[in-house]
């Protein structure tokens, strides 16, 4: 399982970081994975134990910018 963030849609509301430890904000309150020119971030494979909180982050994101990806789907 991984998650993807569409960085063009994300508006740095930060709800995901408050919902799941898999998301981090930088010192300016923006997603820490942001890099100039990067349009999409895809996480490394994550343990299944994080699924519930990542699903919560998907629903919490007001910009609908997060997708949960099943590696074995
Ligand atoms: S909740 Fe959504 S809009 Fe807010 S920082 Fe996370 S991915 Fe971006």
């Amino acid at each position: 399982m991984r998650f993807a963030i569409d960085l063009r849609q994300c508006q740095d509301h930060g709800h995901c970081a408050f919902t799941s430890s898999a998301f981090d904000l930088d010192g300016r309150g923006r997603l820490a994975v942001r890099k100039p020119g990067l349009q999409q971030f895809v996480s490394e494979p994550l343990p299944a134990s994080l699924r519930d909180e990542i699903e919560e982050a998907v629903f919490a994101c007001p910009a609908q910018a997060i997708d949960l990806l099943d590696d074995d789907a």
Side-chain angles (χ1 to χ4, degrees):
M1 174 196 61
R2 302 169 195 250
F3 65 83
I5 305 174
D6 185 333
L7 295 168
R8 296 163 302 182
Q9 270 180 250
C10 168
Q11 296 163 7
D12 292 303
H13 292 296
H15 294 58
C16 53
F18 298 119
T19 306
S20 169
S21 58
F23 300 83
D24 286 319
L25 302 180
D26 65 17
R28 294 181 300 166
R30 301 181 52 169
L31 274 185
V33 296
R34 277 197 183 280
K35 289 189 173 58
L38 186 67
Q39 298 189 336
Q40 186 190 44
F41 169 80
V42 180
S43 76
E44 294 297 314
L46 296 163
S49 58
L50 289 180
R51 174 177 284 274
D52 285 353
E53 60 184 74
I54 292 173
E55 282 180 346
E56 273 187 56
V58 170
F59 287 114
C61 175
Q64 299 180 322
I66 309 170
D67 283 317
L68 188 80
L69 311 173
D70 279 312
D71 290 327
D72 51 8

